[in-house]
Amino acid sequence: MENKILILLFYYNRPNLVKIALNSIKNHNYNNWEIAFIDDGSEEPGESIVKKILDNHLDKIKFYNTNDSIEEKLKRNQEHGSIFGKYAQQAVEESDADFVLMLCDDDALYPEYFKNLNNYFQEHPDEKYVYSHIHTYDPILHKIEDNPPFEYHHLNKDWSLDPHFNIDMSQVAWRRQPFIDTKIKFPYPMTANLDAVIYSQMHNKFGNCNFSGFIGQYKAMYKGGYNDQLSHRMGNRLAELNTPRDIYKILIK
């Protein structure tokens, strides 16, 4: 039985990178999924990209966008007021999916993740949430499949975790109904620590988070360093090329 999986796909001005994320969904050998595509007021809206890549799956996609003015957008950013938390909450509450996971526009899903996740939750009916390992890659230098071994990344653990350990919420998948029933809420408008807030709430309700035993996503990083995340790495690279520091419009070949 294929349970329905909701993907919260967060997008902001990364039109070339989000294509990788979308194709990783399209290429899954698993049919029962839906996407909440959450666009935080991008100057380059992602809806047309989604419709082009997933043209045969538009009935599975719901778009959440903001119509803020530039002035309102700047004010929200200064206050860490991203719309991600607001619309992620709305998407989860409006969905009838069984499981939920988060996907950022610079990341991608690992092959067989949906299938493995579905099997895991069926085999562990009492577990409310679970984390999986990640593979990392540098989108300037690598394709997603040409990445460093996952064993060496500091976010990859293999034991039951509490919020004192670093974990990225893109590693975590959870059952939607317990999330609703226990009134867990995405932070809004203060979304600077969305990962930590959601993970802490789940831990308070569900206890430690167990390891699934498999890999979930490719994550865009450079040399596995959180302090040298994608935006910083790409900014440096563009500076080396004497190119304007626009990390979002860089062409990914």
Side-chain angles (χ1 to χ4, degrees):
M1 174 184 176
E2 286 190 352
N3 288 284
K4 183 183 285 189
I5 298 174
L6 168 65
I7 306 111
L8 303 174
L9 206 170
F10 300 121
Y11 172 75
Y12 181 70
N13 276 353
R14 286 172 171 160
N16 295 306
L17 286 170
V18 79
K19 294 175 184 177
I20 301 173
L22 292 167
N23 276 304
S24 74
I25 299 171
K26 181 179 180 180
N27 294 333
H28 257 64
N29 187 22
Y30 190 97
N31 297 313
N32 200 9
W33 52 263
E34 63 182 10
I35 297 173
F37 189 85
I38 306 173
D39 187 340
D40 191 12
S42 297
E43 287 78 20
E44 296 194 33
E47 186 168 342
S48 61
I49 301 171
V50 176
K51 290 181 175 179
K52 183 175 181 180
I53 294 176
L54 297 175
D55 57 327
N56 294 325
H57 303 281
L58 296 182
D59 59 324
K60 299 181 179 182
I61 304 165
K62 189 167 184 177
F63 296 95
Y64 298 82
N65 301 287
T66 176
N67 295 316
D68 289 357
S69 66
I70 294 177
E71 291 76 17
E72 290 171 326
K73 171 74 174 173
L74 290 172
K75 183 176 185 297
R76 287 198 295 107
N77 284 348
Q78 292 168 357
E79 298 173 352
H80 302 297
S82 164
I83 65 168
F84 285 154
K86 175 181 178 180
Y87 288 123
Q89 186 73 36
Q90 183 179 337
V92 173
E93 292 178 355
E94 291 177 345
S95 174
D96 63 351
D98 299 285
F99 315 133
V100 186
L101 58 89
M102 292 163 48
L103 179 64
C104 294
D105 55 12
D106 58 344
D107 300 331
L109 296 175
Y110 203 78
E112 304 296 318
Y113 180 38
F114 288 170
K115 178 181 176 181
N116 290 337
L117 190 64
N118 184 61
N119 290 342
Y120 181 89
F121 277 124
Q122 288 189 15
E123 293 169 3
H124 300 81
D126 295 329
E127 291 197 20
K128 305 300 189 296
Y129 70 151
V130 65
Y131 74 94
S132 300
H133 279 169
I134 57 172
H135 266 183
T136 62
Y137 82 110
D138 185 330
I140 294 177
L141 304 177
H142 306 127
K143 296 180 181 179
I144 54 176
E145 60 268 24
D146 300 329
N147 52 74
F150 74 92
E151 295 94 334
Y152 304 120
H153 197 274
H154 72 278
L155 291 179
N156 288 334
K157 326 291 184 182
D158 57 6
W159 62 89
S160 180
L161 296 181
D162 63 38
H164 292 95
F165 292 92
N166 289 332
I167 193 168
D168 190 293
M169 274 304 295
S170 64
Q171 293 180 258
V172 178
W174 64 93
R175 295 183 187 273
R176 190 189 68 87
Q177 197 58 53
F179 179 97
I180 299 295
D181 293 343
T182 57
K183 303 186 187 310
I184 295 173
K185 300 289 184 182
F186 280 89
Y188 174 78
M190 303 299 286
T191 55
N193 294 312
L194 184 148
D195 281 36
V197 172
I198 286 293
Y199 186 42
S200 295
Q201 288 185 71
M202 288 188 180
H203 180 262
N204 289 337
K205 300 293 186 180
F206 308 144
N208 282 10
C209 189
N210 288 326
F211 172 47
S212 69
F214 48 81
I215 307 164
Q217 295 191 16
Y218 298 100
K219 193 160 192 65
M221 292 183 178
Y222 175 64
K223 293 183 179 178
Y226 239 26
N227 293 328
D228 199 359
Q229 180 67 298
L230 172 66
S231 58
H232 181 65
R233 165 63 175 159
M234 297 182 83
N236 287 343
R237 178 60 175 162
L238 290 170
E240 292 171 6
L241 297 174
N242 194 27
T243 306
R245 296 175 65 87
D246 187 343
I247 66 170
Y248 302 117
K249 296 180 183 178
I250 187 170
L251 178 62
I252 304 298
K253 297 183 178 180

